[in-house]
Amino acid sequence: MKRAILLLAIMPCLYDQVAAQAKLVEKITRQGHELVIPYEKYVLPNGLTLVVHEDHSDPIVQVDVTYHVGSAREQIGKSGFAHFFEHMMFQGSDHVKDEEHFKMVTDAGGTLNGSTNRDRTNYYETVPSNQLEKMLWLEADRMGFLLDAVTQQKFEIQRATVKNERGQNYDNRPYGLMAEVAARNLYPYGHPYSWLTIGYIEDLNRVDVNDLKNFFLRWYGPNNATVTVGGDVKTAEVVKLVEKYFGSIPKGPAVEKVVVPPVVLEKDRYVSYTDNYIRLPLLNIVFPTVPNYHKDMAALTCLAQLLGGGNSSILYQQLVKSQQALQANVYSQLFELAGEFTIRVIPMPGKTLADMEKLVRASLDSFEKRGVTDEDIEKFKGYTEAQYINGLQSVSGKVFQLAAFQTLAGNPNMIGTLLKMTSTVTKEDVMRVYNQYIKGKHAVIVSVLPKGQESVIAAADNYEIDKTHYTAPDYGYTGLKYTKATDKFDRSKRPGNGANPVVKVPAFWRKDLPNKIKCIGAENNELPTVTLIISIPGGHLLQANDTARVGLASLFADMMNEDTKNYTAEQMAIELDKLGSTIEVTSSRDAIVFTVEALKKNIDKTLALLQERLFNPKFTEATFNRIQRQTLESLKQSKTRPAVVADDVIAAVNYGATHIFGMNEYGTESSIRNITLKDIEYYYNNYLAANNTKVVVVGDIKQHEILPKLAFLNKLPNKKIELPVVPAKPKEVDKSRIYLVDIPRAAQTEFRISHVTGLKYDATGEYYKTGLMNFALGGGFNGRVNINLREDKGWTYGARTNFNGDEYTGDFIFSSGIKADATDSALAEVMKELKAYAANGIKEEELVFMKNAIGQRDALRYETGTQKAGFIQRMLQFNLPANYVDQQLKILKNITKPEIDALAKKYIQPDKLNMVLVGDKARILPGLQKSGYEIVELNTDGKPVDGMKKGF
């Protein structure tokens, strides 16, 4: 049904009279129960598009400004500009000081960020609804009044920050350069997708501040932007505010659609590179396909699911289950200009990438013989419908969808088109796209090789990039002028707040079942979905008295996701996908957790499958051997990841080698080898019990509807599981010292500076107050450590401090990934900040800021089903009173500087900290030796290096 209202012919006179008036071009409403995001779409005379979605279910609003510029608007030698400018857009504008954008949004109780991809850049704030005008003022100020605030100093700091982001997310991460190598060899030289959004270091070194300013002038005009506002708003008021703040910003240069020819490969292109951070190779095969929203989009997605999406897929069955590969996945990714169909395999040790390629091609042959079944299509449609519905749980999810659809398709209502694509896809469509894009077609085949294992390559490199046919595009950077808006109001006057929204914590019910199972639930009928979480006491803590088998709970949970007596794991996955449901079993510190997501219409069938999984597991030797081996390889792989190593080692140092909390919940290589199938069976027979099991239900279902459906839980044995009692604070730190873990050639050093406080979770006691105390130090973007290390020094992508606590213990920790060459300087700065905060406490302005930020953020805390589930789960877990949030707000309102200062002095303890630094010893040791701290070298398991004395 067409629901667009076009006003060009209806209102010409009124439009002519008001030069800056927005013009309504489309209005979409929901008809019946159709899946649609209602909105109104306007266009301003300067070309700005405005999309407004009203959702009054929660007192929040999201403002998103999406610019149709990503790395696809860059050129050779100037990569990374779009992403770089994303950083610069947070550095202040004419009426907003440096670092003030983050501070204002946080002070308002909101969250914010930005992101850049190949095709677009967006900036967004999610805030209580009374902050709408201020957010629009902020975004308009950086759209129209940015460049005079872009200084050389800010430019240099953000350039360093972007380099650190590249180091953290690409150069210093296992397989981190794989996508870059694949793109460079898939697309022709100069194609805008032939480099990644992050750009190249040499281009970042080459760029100057004037290049960035020109980039802004070319692409950041209102005619290349969409403002999307969603939430608890009135559309007419939003339109007036957008007209006021954005309407006078001059239109930028015209922006034409990028047109590039399809990618054509004349042969299979074999390329390779050596990765210093991996121990297993990886095979990455990429076939070129079609752009986003192409008619074959759904069929390609379905094909990827059948080939490599989950344990019922072809590659999982033929490569992973047969223990030929550790991982095997397939993805279809479509972008504005092109698409990629990717097959990615990590082999088991002893297998070469040439072996993997043969197995992949054999799997494709078997798929071709097998064909596509009706069940395959049913599974795809059920799974995809649930994905679309779940993506609309939050205002943010809806706003992001509307903004992306408008920017990339010119139509915010694309969700209907995509649903139609999904609902009409056929078996013949899937086989057709297989034949058209995959069968017998050429691909780029990337071998990612561990250092010293170059012989496991898929095939010798046979492709060199041809740079001779490149002509740099003329994007029109010549003669650009910066013209500011002329207004009839004072932009320097910051908008105030509207009336404070009324925030209500979710209404909930409680019910204890006869067998001592505790239930809690909250109804949420915004979407027809149900979330169920069942937590059975046990988990990691059970192994405290038998640490030789640590990791048993995790391995047991993995086994519970496998075969049952009436379903193979593959059959179970197929049935769940057909329903659009998921059932996942995991282990935690003190529980085995069953998490269920389902559409309400399918809750009964989903719960029947849950019963099957819970009461009829089938533990076989073959499955156990496969999962045990996969776990061992995953543990070995994790030792190449500096961030994972840092987390593991700080736990071991804090709690000690024999304390259960000092041990990885996934186990160690030796402990996993100690576990047998009988241990799995023993765990199931002895530790799945009803007593103190906790059930959380959130969604479109009432208490009287769900409780009878949970009667099957009465079959759990009515016995109590006694968890071992462990010391909350196993040992005191006598002095601060450095624990150094060597990861050769690491581009960054992972910092974990910590000590065990022993402070357990308490919603209204000292634990809660330490969280308030920590806010100014490192609890958010504007915390002292982040401002110092990221914004002032440019040494890191982010730095944080946290106080963590549960029923058993608690700790304080500083964490960050910092560029290697600044390791010693950064350590000095961190310790300076910790000592200053412990000695002098919080500043009065920081106290006011903290109270504003935390006091207003409740509006954002209870929106989605997941958030509501987390809230009531916490109430059940810690037996909290119904009014505990009110108690917290009272504490927040009344807490004083002396109280904060006393907590800082008590719990920061800069002279008694364990300082774990994971990085390249050869680069960072000389500087650290000058720090005055004792240095102890540990290996990646957290054990002293053989032959090492306690100091260097």
Side-chain angles (χ1 to χ4, degrees):
M1 181 183 294
K2 185 70 173 177
R3 296 180 299 276
I5 301 176
L6 301 177
L7 299 191
L8 283 170
I10 301 174
M11 300 178 60
C13 296
L14 180 60
Y15 180 71
D16 291 341
Q17 291 170 5
V18 185
Q21 185 173 5
K23 178 173 57 177
L24 175 63
V25 295
E26 187 179 43
K27 181 174 181 177
I28 296 294
T29 58
R30 177 176 285 110
Q31 306 295 315
H33 296 288
E34 67 177 339
L35 190 62
V36 68
I37 309 172
Y39 66 86
E40 292 185 18
K41 174 181 169 181
Y42 297 80
V43 175
L44 275 64
N46 61 4
L48 180 74
T49 299
L50 168 65
V51 179
V52 186
H53 162 66
E54 290 193 33
D55 178 351
H56 301 287
S57 57
D58 294 282
I60 65 175
V61 61
Q62 172 144 329
V63 174
D64 176 284
V65 182
T66 298
Y67 296 88
H68 197 172
V69 57
S71 55
R73 301 288 189 178
E74 298 164 357
Q75 60 197 75
I76 292 292
K78 295 184 177 181
S79 66
F81 274 32
H83 174 255
F84 197 160
F85 218 94
E86 178 206 320
H87 281 251
M88 294 305 299
M89 288 279 275
F90 288 99
Q91 300 310 301
S93 47
D94 279 4
H95 309 109
V96 182
K97 297 177 182 177
D98 186 20
E99 300 166 5
E100 197 171 27
H101 195 114
F102 269 93
K103 191 170 186 178
M104 288 177 64
V105 178
T106 306
D107 184 72
T111 61
L112 73 160
N113 214 328
S115 68
T116 309
N117 64 27
R118 286 171 161 175
D119 303 314
R120 63 99 188 107
T121 303
N122 74 333
Y123 306 87
Y124 52 93
E125 297 87 13
T126 310
V127 293
S129 54
N130 65 323
Q131 304 289 336
L132 170 65
E133 183 172 3
K134 190 182 296 179
M135 298 306 107
L136 291 171
W137 173 80
L138 272 171
E139 286 293 353
D141 207 62
R142 60 181 176 185
M143 179 186 284
F145 300 87
L146 183 87
L147 289 192
D148 286 346
V150 176
T151 65
Q152 188 69 35
Q153 181 183 12
K154 292 179 184 178
F155 170 84
E156 294 296 347
I157 289 172
Q158 291 309 310
R159 170 155 53 187
T161 300
V162 172
K163 288 182 182 179
N164 281 300
E165 181 179 355
R166 181 182 167 98
Q168 181 172 316
N169 294 335
Y170 299 88
D171 300 331
N172 204 36
R173 175 171 290 182
Y175 311 110
L177 297 177
M178 174 186 60
E180 183 173 270
V181 173
R184 190 165 60 233
N185 289 279
L186 175 64
Y187 296 101
Y189 185 74
H191 188 289
Y193 287 174
S194 63
W195 53 83
L196 297 190
T197 303
I198 192 70
Y200 294 114
I201 287 290
E202 55 267 31
D203 291 351
L204 294 172
N205 288 334
R206 183 185 301 120
V207 63
D208 66 34
V209 69
N210 291 320
D211 291 325
L212 264 292
K213 288 184 176 182
N214 260 347
F215 193 84
F216 174 82
L217 291 172
R218 181 64 187 88
W219 304 112
Y220 278 75
N223 52 306
N224 198 35
T226 297
V227 174
T228 308
V229 178
D232 190 17
V233 299
K234 295 179 179 178
T235 300
E237 293 178 3
V238 174
V239 172
K240 289 180 181 178
L241 290 171
V242 170
E243 288 172 341
K244 175 181 178 179
Y245 291 115
F246 290 87
S248 60
I249 299 173
K251 179 182 291 189
V255 177
E256 303 297 331
K257 183 177 177 65
V258 175
V259 178
V260 294
V263 174
V264 177
L265 305 181
E266 72 291 345
K267 63 178 181 180
D268 285 333
R269 297 177 180 175
Y270 287 91
V271 294
S272 65
Y273 77 96
T274 300
D275 190 322
N276 293 321
Y277 303 105
I278 63 174
R279 62 177 303 277
L280 289 177
L282 182 147
L283 182 70
N284 194 68
I285 305 173
V286 186
F287 296 89
T289 59
V290 293
N292 218 350
Y293 310 131
H294 187 278
K295 66 180 180 64
D296 291 337
M297 180 178 182
L300 283 165
T301 303
C302 183
L303 177 63
Q305 184 188 67
L306 295 180
L307 291 178
N311 62 5
S312 64
S313 67
I314 301 294
L315 287 185
Y316 184 91
Q317 289 296 303
Q318 298 199 11
L319 275 68
V320 178
K321 195 164 186 179
S322 66
Q323 300 191 53
Q324 307 282 336
L326 180 64
Q327 295 177 24
N329 304 100
V330 181
Y331 315 91
S332 175
Q333 294 178 290
L334 306 188
F335 308 97
E336 187 177 18
L337 306 180
E340 300 169 11
F341 194 90
T342 304
I343 301 173
R344 192 169 297 160
V345 181
I346 298 178
M348 280 291 193
K351 301 293 182 181
T352 69
L353 298 184
D355 296 332
M356 290 300 103
E357 185 184 355
K358 290 176 183 177
L359 288 170
V360 167
R361 295 190 185 278
S363 297
L364 294 178
D365 290 340
S366 65
F367 163 73
E368 188 176 348
K369 293 174 184 176
R370 168 193 181 275
V372 182
T373 67
D374 290 332
E375 188 174 59
D376 292 334
I377 299 299
E378 184 183 358
K379 180 183 78 164
F380 169 68
K381 291 179 179 180
Y383 173 84
T384 306
E385 179 191 14
Q387 291 294 103
Y388 281 125
I389 292 174
N390 288 326
L392 303 181
Q393 287 194 38
S394 67
V395 166
S396 295
K398 288 179 277 192
V399 166
F400 287 146
Q401 289 269 34
L402 291 169
F405 289 154
Q406 171 58 36
T407 301
L408 302 178
N411 175 16
N413 195 32
M414 282 297 292
I415 194 167
T417 302
L418 297 182
L419 282 168
K420 186 176 180 180
M421 284 184 183
T422 297
S423 65
T424 58
V425 73
T426 66
K427 296 182 292 184
E428 291 74 21
D429 290 331
V430 178
M431 286 308 301
R432 177 179 54 77
V433 297
Y434 169 74
N435 289 320
Q436 186 171 348
Y437 304 112
I438 310 302
K439 181 184 177 182
K441 300 301 184 291
H442 298 306
V444 171
I445 302 164
V446 180
S447 297
V448 187
L449 306 170
K451 190 173 181 63
Q453 296 184 41
E454 287 76 11
S455 62
V456 301
I457 195 169
D461 293 3
N462 71 346
Y463 177 71
E464 290 188 10
I465 297 170
D466 180 3
K467 302 180 181 181
T468 60
H469 297 92
Y470 174 67
T471 300
D474 182 4
Y475 282 132
Y477 289 111
T478 304
L480 296 175
K481 294 182 179 180
Y482 181 33
T483 304
K484 297 184 183 181
T486 301
D487 298 302
K488 295 180 180 179
F489 68 96
D490 184 2
R491 276 194 190 261
S492 66
K493 187 176 180 180
R494 185 174 301 177
N497 305 333
N500 284 335
V502 177
V503 181
K504 295 181 180 179
V505 300
F508 62 92
W509 53 264
R510 293 197 197 207
K511 178 71 174 179
D512 288 353
L513 302 184
N515 56 355
K516 298 183 180 179
I517 292 177
K518 298 178 180 180
C519 295
I520 192 167
E523 186 179 356
N524 179 27
N525 55 17
E526 294 173 30
L527 289 171
T529 62
V530 179
T531 298
L532 176 70
I533 304 170
I534 302 171
S535 302
I536 301 177
H540 183 58
L541 190 54
L542 268 181
Q543 294 305 122
N545 298 328
D546 182 17
T547 57
R549 289 179 176 80
V550 76
L552 172 59
S554 176
L555 205 60
F556 169 76
D558 289 341
M559 290 290 290
M560 289 292 290
N561 285 303
E562 293 290 331
D563 296 348
T564 69
K565 293 175 182 175
N566 297 301
Y567 293 83
T568 65
E570 299 74 38
Q571 290 170 335
M572 177 73 75
I574 290 169
E575 293 304 312
L576 288 169
D577 280 345
K578 284 156 62 174
L579 297 171
S581 302
T582 60
I583 299 174
E584 183 180 16
V585 189
T586 57
S587 70
S588 68
R589 174 170 280 191
D590 61 359
I592 297 296
V593 183
F594 293 76
T595 303
V596 179
E597 301 276 356
L599 301 179
K600 183 182 180 180
K601 66 182 180 181
N602 295 328
I603 187 65
D604 290 338
K605 292 179 180 178
T606 305
L607 290 179
L609 294 173
L610 173 64
Q611 292 182 61
E612 175 69 19
R613 188 160 294 302
L614 178 57
F615 293 111
N616 293 316
K618 183 179 180 181
F619 303 129
T620 66
E621 198 74 47
T623 301
F624 174 78
N625 289 339
R626 171 172 53 82
I627 291 179
Q628 184 182 46
R629 188 180 179 198
Q630 289 171 340
T631 302
L632 286 169
E633 292 306 321
S634 296
L635 287 171
K636 292 174 183 176
Q637 285 277 81
S638 71
K639 297 304 179 183
T640 67
R641 303 178 183 232
V644 176
V645 171
D647 290 337
D648 286 349
V649 172
I650 192 61
V653 171
N654 272 347
Y655 289 96
T658 61
H659 194 288
I660 190 66
F661 296 157
M663 301 177 183
N664 190 318
E665 293 185 18
Y666 297 105
T668 66
E669 290 181 47
S670 61
S671 69
I672 294 300
R673 288 192 179 96
N674 288 337
I675 297 171
T676 66
L677 181 61
K678 288 185 178 180
D679 294 321
I680 302 295
E681 294 168 342
Y682 183 87
Y683 192 107
Y684 180 82
N685 293 327
N686 291 275
Y687 294 129
L688 287 194
N691 198 311
N692 208 31
T693 285
K694 298 178 176 66
V695 178
V696 176
V697 185
V698 171
D700 187 18
I701 196 162
K702 299 181 184 298
Q703 177 183 358
H704 70 82
E705 292 178 287
I706 190 62
L707 285 179
K709 300 179 189 298
L710 298 179
F712 65 89
L713 293 174
N714 293 328
K715 292 188 286 185
L716 284 171
N718 189 11
K719 61 181 179 180
K720 186 176 182 180
I721 304 302
E722 295 288 348
L723 297 179
V725 177
V726 296
K729 196 171 182 180
K731 64 175 185 176
E732 288 286 345
V733 179
D734 58 342
K735 67 176 182 179
S736 292
R737 59 170 59 83
I738 295 170
Y739 294 90
L740 179 62
V741 182
D742 184 25
I743 302 285
R745 296 174 295 280
Q748 290 184 304
T749 302
E750 287 289 338
F751 277 55
R752 302 293 186 272
I753 299 176
S754 179
H755 72 97
V756 177
T757 63
L759 190 58
K760 300 177 183 179
Y761 178 89
D762 183 347
T764 55
E766 196 157 87
Y767 175 81
Y768 173 69
K769 293 176 182 178
T770 59
L772 304 181
M773 175 269 288
N774 179 66
F775 190 82
L777 176 63
F781 186 90
N782 287 90
R784 293 185 187 182
V785 293
N786 192 60
I787 294 298
N788 185 338
L789 299 176
R790 171 177 163 144
E791 295 300 287
D792 293 345
K793 303 293 194 309
W795 290 340
T796 180
Y797 185 49
R800 297 288 187 270
T801 58
N802 289 293
F803 282 89
N804 307 299
D806 56 18
E807 302 100 310
Y808 311 105
T809 187
D811 59 53
F812 164 79
I813 189 165
F814 164 86
S815 58
S816 184
I818 294 173
K819 71 175 185 177
D821 292 340
T823 299
D824 54 339
S825 301
L827 180 61
E829 289 297 316
V830 172
M831 296 308 294
K832 182 185 77 174
E833 295 289 359
L834 297 182
K835 289 176 181 178
Y837 201 64
N840 305 315
I842 197 169
K843 298 175 182 177
E844 288 292 349
E845 61 268 28
E846 290 175 326
L847 181 62
V848 172
F849 176 57
M850 179 269 290
K851 289 188 175 187
N852 287 343
I854 295 178
Q856 297 182 83
R857 70 184 181 188
D858 276 357
L860 278 64
R861 293 175 67 183
Y862 316 118
E863 182 190 12
T864 67
T866 301
Q867 289 175 313
K868 288 181 171 70
F871 172 74
I872 63 174
Q873 185 177 40
R874 188 161 52 251
M875 296 194 70
L876 188 62
Q877 182 179 2
F878 296 102
N879 195 29
L880 301 177
N883 68 341
Y884 90 89
V885 172
D886 294 333
Q887 294 180 41
Q888 287 184 336
L889 290 174
K890 186 176 180 180
I891 293 169
L892 173 67
K893 180 180 178 181
N894 295 323
I895 200 165
T896 63
K897 174 176 165 52
E899 288 180 88
I900 293 287
D901 294 352
L903 289 168
K905 191 177 294 292
K906 180 176 181 181
Y907 287 111
I908 301 299
Q909 299 184 4
D911 295 326
K912 294 184 177 181
L913 291 169
N914 295 317
M915 301 182 288
V916 170
L917 306 181
V918 180
D920 185 352
K921 172 184 166 183
R923 292 175 69 181
I924 66 178
L925 178 58
L928 293 175
Q929 287 175 318
K930 300 173 184 176
S931 67
Y933 293 107
E934 178 187 349
I935 302 173
V936 178
E937 186 175 3
L938 304 177
N939 63 20
T940 55
D941 293 321
K943 297 177 181 178
V945 173
D946 292 341
M948 267 302 303
K949 295 182 179 178
K950 261 205 154 182
F952 286 94

